[in-house]
């Protein structure tokens, strides 16, 4: 799923902005529900929590996309690792 999002042009910064926007939207929905609806503070809290739960998901997707971007930068053709460029034998990775 993350690779598909990356191929569609969605970057990690987009997800970080969506997470911050979600926090602002959670506050705005709580305030709007509290002032305009006569259902009480409990309902306003539920709206704020419902929208506020989106923020960690957006931030987690941003981190996953950042890892995807970094991996693609490492695998890009023509990119040499520092050890290879200096003539030093690259370190082996266990399990990879």
């Amino acid at each position: 799923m993350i690779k598909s999002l990356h191929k569609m042009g969605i970057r990690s910064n987009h997800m970080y902005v969506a997470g911050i926007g979600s926090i602002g939207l959670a506050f705005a929905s709580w305030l709007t529900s509290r002032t305009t609806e006569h259902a009480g503070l409990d309902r306003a809290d539920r709206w704020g929590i419902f929208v506020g739960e989106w923020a960690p998901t957006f931030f987690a997707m941003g981190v996953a996309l950042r890892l995807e971007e970094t991996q693609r930068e490492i695998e890009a053709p023509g990119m040499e690792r520092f050890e290879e460029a200096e003539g030093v034998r690259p370190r082996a990775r266990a399990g990879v």
Side-chain angles (χ1 to χ4, degrees), residues 2-79:
I2 297 300
K3 288 182 182 181
S4 299
L5 289 173
H6 190 265
K7 286 179 183 178
M8 291 183 344
I10 298 174
R11 300 292 180 249
S12 59
N13 291 338
H14 298 138
M15 288 297 160
Y16 295 144
V17 169
I20 292 170
S22 174
I23 294 169
L25 186 62
F27 178 72
S29 66
W30 173 81
L31 188 63
T32 302
S33 179
R34 183 172 172 241
T35 56
T36 59
E37 295 181 341
H38 300 291
L41 185 60
D42 291 339
R43 184 174 174 134
D45 288 345
R46 284 187 213 113
W47 271 113
I49 291 171
F50 172 71
V51 177
E53 287 178 349
W54 301 346
T57 304
F58 287 133
F59 287 126
M61 290 175 68
V63 170
L65 282 166
R66 178 62 56 135
L67 291 172
E68 179 71 22
E69 293 164 4
T70 320
Q71 180 181 4
R72 289 190 184 264
E73 287 174 5
I74 291 172
E75 294 175 352
M79 298 290 291

